[in-house]
Amino acid sequence: MLLFMERYHQLLFAIWREACRHIEIHDSASRIAGLLAEMIPVDTLSVVAVESAGSDVERLCHLGVSGDIPMPALLSIEKNAAKRLSAWCTTAAPMQCTRDRPPKGLPATFLEGLRKYVLVIPLQSEHGAQGLFLLSNEHEPYHEREVKLGELLAEPFAVALENDRRVHELMTLREAAEADKRKLLNRLGREQLTDEVIGAGHGLRAVMERVELVSRSDVPVLILGETGAGKEVIARAIHEGSPRAVGPFIRVNCGAIPTELIDSELFGHERGSFTGAVAERKGWFERADGGTLFLDEIGELPPAAQVRLLRVLQDSSFERVGGEKALHVNVRIVAATHRDLARMVQEQRFREDLWYRVAVFPIVLPPLRERKQDIPALAEHFAERASRRFGLKQQTPTSRDITLLSDYDWPGNVREFASVLDRAAILGDGRGLEVAKALGIAPTTTTISAEQSISEPNDHTMVTLDEAMRGHIVRALTLTRGKIEGERGAAAMLGINPHTLRARMRKLEIDWKRFRVG
């Protein structure tokens, strides 16, 4: 008897371990089936999940103890029958029956494929009915001792079934989120959520070196640059390179929030704190907890909001609007502005103490007109993005396009650049990029390409031989991204020796480095 009880407790411990260590109920049940066969007569084991909402009933696994494990099958019944089955599982106790005479309330279809003698064990949890656990054998009915064992098995099987259900719910939610993400990226014309930093190896090399230095720490960063220069892209690069990359990145445009709502937006509010506050709301600081809060256009904050922001930066605590409890958050601040904050401090339009808090590590982002060596790479990137967004044939910017783009001053910086490339792709309608039309430049003799002058020669459009040669070399360097030698280099494309090509480039003052993509 003592030996039996010892084996009995060892069996229960092993069953609990198998029920909790596996994610899929199929894996748990297959291991438990083999353990049970050592103690009680078992030929087959079935686990059935009952949806508490009263929809379909899914047979998750129907296992042969001998090792023959068929694929899971879906068993659908009427909704009313599912409700009755759920109610039966809630009230019934473990019982034995035969395959041909199921208990009252249990559909006979659940016993199909089982052996003659069946032990039925309802599975319940704090959330209600979970399903059924069925044991069967061909030779002998189950004794009272085995029914008692079935009662003890109900809880571990219910836990395993609940774990399986939650995992499948999470998988369904994840698939839906991935589908929404792909749909959003497709609408934005992107392949990934984070923006690529174009020019990281050239015009923005100094900026990216500072980004790499500061990303590893938690100090506040102030990004200074003109409108449209890409301050948010740099802020995201700081976040992605930091230990907080797994946390949220929240962007707040301080200039777009009405003055009377700034406190509610930044710090949240309690229910009933003001007219229209029908529910509790978390502010941006709470939502960014554990991550990075990007305060764009921080120079637009009114003085009262600057005072409350200073307190958060000093002790990482704040109170919701209408609340009395101090809340603590762990947030890194990255701020940005196109304004001259230093002058605003002198004019007392921006708090000096807040300036010292946010400008611990300033990063100055140069405008596009000061890094025109990045224009070929930017043109190729935005042309490719435009073709994906608008469903057009992908076009590569020509040397004439690059020249036109390089000659423009870009007061709107990269934001304006992207809009021009979008407009050029739409005007081209898959036949090419109409950069001149997108920039509003009328065709003149100086903007006619070398290819046009060769195919349509006349006294007014003819260019010099050096100009035609220069345009041809620039186009080759654009297509090869500055590569000169090798199988796919510009020299092979033009059919000349690389040393000869370099000599002509020096003569024509062509800098190959500006065609390189960082």
Side-chain angles (χ1 to χ4, degrees):
M1 184 66 181
L2 290 176
L3 181 61
F4 174 81
M5 291 301 297
E6 184 179 353
R7 291 185 60 196
Y8 185 80
H9 288 105
Q10 289 177 351
L11 173 65
L12 287 179
F13 177 78
I15 288 174
W16 266 109
R17 183 178 58 188
E18 296 297 341
C20 297
R21 70 186 297 187
H22 301 289
I23 296 176
E24 300 265 350
I25 184 66
H26 189 276
D27 297 331
S28 298
S30 62
R31 300 294 186 91
I32 293 173
L35 294 172
L36 288 174
E38 299 177 4
M39 293 286 292
I40 60 176
V42 180
D43 293 332
T44 60
L45 180 151
S46 282
V47 180
V48 181
V50 180
E51 294 294 335
S52 57
S55 56
D56 289 342
V57 176
E58 183 181 357
R59 177 169 288 180
L60 294 175
C61 55
H62 182 63
L63 310 173
V65 178
S66 61
D68 180 19
I69 304 177
M71 292 296 291
L74 186 67
L75 184 62
S76 299
I77 63 174
E78 295 179 359
K79 186 171 294 187
N80 290 335
K83 289 182 179 179
R84 291 196 301 270
L85 180 60
S86 179
W88 185 87
C89 291
T90 304
T91 58
M95 64 182 69
Q96 64 170 320
C97 62
T98 62
R99 180 182 55 213
D100 302 326
R101 298 184 64 182
K104 185 178 180 181
L106 182 65
T109 51
F110 285 104
L111 306 185
E112 292 177 358
L114 301 182
R115 300 297 189 260
K116 181 178 179 180
Y117 300 102
V118 183
L119 178 59
V120 182
I121 304 168
L123 303 178
Q124 303 176 33
S125 72
E126 58 183 5
H127 303 293
Q130 292 295 312
L132 298 174
F133 169 38
L134 306 169
L135 300 176
S136 69
N137 77 91
E138 191 67 31
H139 306 291
E140 58 181 299
Y142 289 97
H143 300 290
E144 185 66 22
R145 184 177 63 189
E146 292 157 351
V147 176
K148 291 291 185 182
L149 176 62
E151 293 180 359
L152 297 175
L153 295 177
E155 189 174 0
F157 266 98
V159 169
L161 197 57
E162 179 69 14
N163 290 340
D164 181 275
R165 176 173 292 148
R166 289 181 179 179
V167 167
H168 281 83
E169 286 178 356
L170 290 174
M171 290 175 62
T172 302
L173 291 174
R174 180 178 179 179
E175 290 173 359
E178 289 290 337
D180 290 342
K181 177 182 175 181
R182 289 193 296 270
K183 182 178 179 180
L184 177 61
L185 291 175
N186 186 52
R187 289 176 60 184
L188 295 175
R190 297 181 181 179
E191 293 182 350
Q192 56 186 4
L193 192 59
T194 55
D195 291 318
E196 180 184 0
V197 181
I198 306 296
H202 293 85
L204 292 179
R205 178 180 296 174
V207 171
M208 296 311 296
E209 288 176 355
R210 290 181 66 82
V211 167
E212 185 177 357
L213 280 175
V214 78
S215 294
R216 297 187 292 267
S217 67
D218 249 0
V219 300
V221 179
L222 178 63
I223 304 174
L224 303 168
E226 295 181 3
T227 299
K231 296 187 286 294
E232 183 178 350
V233 175
I234 299 303
R236 287 187 180 274
I238 294 172
H239 173 73
E240 293 295 328
S242 73
R244 297 176 177 267
V246 295
F249 177 88
I250 304 294
R251 174 187 178 271
V252 180
N253 189 334
C254 299
I257 307 175
T259 304
E260 62 275 9
L261 295 179
I262 285 181
D263 285 352
S264 175
E265 291 291 322
L266 290 178
F267 311 118
H269 61 252
E270 299 289 348
R271 179 179 179 182
S273 57
F274 55 85
T275 303
V278 296
E280 177 188 285
R281 181 186 183 278
K282 291 184 177 182
W284 296 117
F285 272 93
E286 283 186 82
R287 298 184 185 187
D289 192 17
T292 303
L293 181 63
F294 176 47
L295 298 176
D296 197 9
E297 300 303 338
I298 192 173
E300 306 292 337
L301 282 177
Q306 294 179 26
V307 174
R308 286 184 280 275
L309 177 60
L310 179 62
R311 180 192 171 188
V312 179
L313 295 180
Q314 286 175 338
D315 53 20
S316 300
S317 67
F318 62 92
E319 294 177 1
R320 291 177 183 163
V321 176
E324 299 178 354
K325 180 182 178 181
L327 302 175
H328 296 269
V329 291
N330 179 16
V331 175
R332 182 191 191 162
I333 298 296
V334 177
T337 184
H338 71 283
R339 294 181 175 273
D340 187 349
L341 283 190
R343 176 176 293 180
M344 291 178 66
V345 170
Q346 293 176 355
E347 297 172 354
Q348 297 185 351
R349 291 187 292 126
F350 194 83
R351 291 185 63 92
E352 185 176 10
D353 45 6
L354 181 58
W355 158 258
Y356 292 133
R357 284 285 181 179
V358 299
V360 176
F361 194 92
I363 295 178
V364 179
L365 191 57
L368 184 56
R369 61 181 173 274
E370 294 180 8
R371 54 185 185 99
K372 289 193 175 182
Q373 65 268 39
D374 296 333
I375 283 181
L378 286 168
E380 184 173 345
H381 170 75
F382 286 115
E384 181 183 354
R385 192 188 74 168
S387 65
R388 289 200 307 269
R389 289 180 64 187
F390 308 130
L392 301 172
K393 181 180 178 182
Q394 185 172 336
Q395 300 294 331
T396 302
T398 64
S399 58
R400 178 185 176 227
D401 295 335
I402 299 299
T403 301
L404 291 174
L405 294 171
S406 299
D407 290 341
Y408 188 65
D409 275 342
W410 301 111
N413 291 291
V414 179
R415 184 180 295 132
E416 182 186 9
F417 190 95
S419 298
V420 168
L421 264 294
D422 286 348
R423 188 159 59 246
I426 294 172
L427 292 171
D429 196 24
R431 299 184 300 272
L433 296 173
E434 294 289 348
V435 174
K437 290 182 180 179
L439 288 170
I441 300 174
T444 63
T445 57
T446 59
T447 60
I448 295 178
S449 65
E451 293 82 0
Q452 287 177 319
S453 67
I454 293 173
S455 59
E456 300 174 6
N458 59 68
D459 293 340
H460 302 288
T461 62
M462 181 69 70
V463 297
T464 66
L465 183 59
D466 282 348
E467 290 174 337
M469 187 181 300
R470 189 180 195 281
H472 210 50
I473 293 174
V474 166
R475 177 170 172 77
L477 290 171
T478 302
L479 293 174
T480 61
R481 300 185 179 184
K483 182 179 179 181
I484 297 177
E485 298 186 21
E487 182 180 353
R488 298 184 180 181
M493 183 178 293
L494 297 172
I496 61 175
N497 188 281
H499 299 293
T500 304
L501 176 59
R502 287 193 177 91
R504 292 185 182 180
M505 288 167 58
R506 285 193 294 271
K507 178 183 177 182
L508 298 172
E509 298 181 351
I510 299 174
D511 182 12
W512 63 272
K513 293 181 180 178
R514 71 187 183 95
F515 300 95
R516 282 286 195 188
V517 177

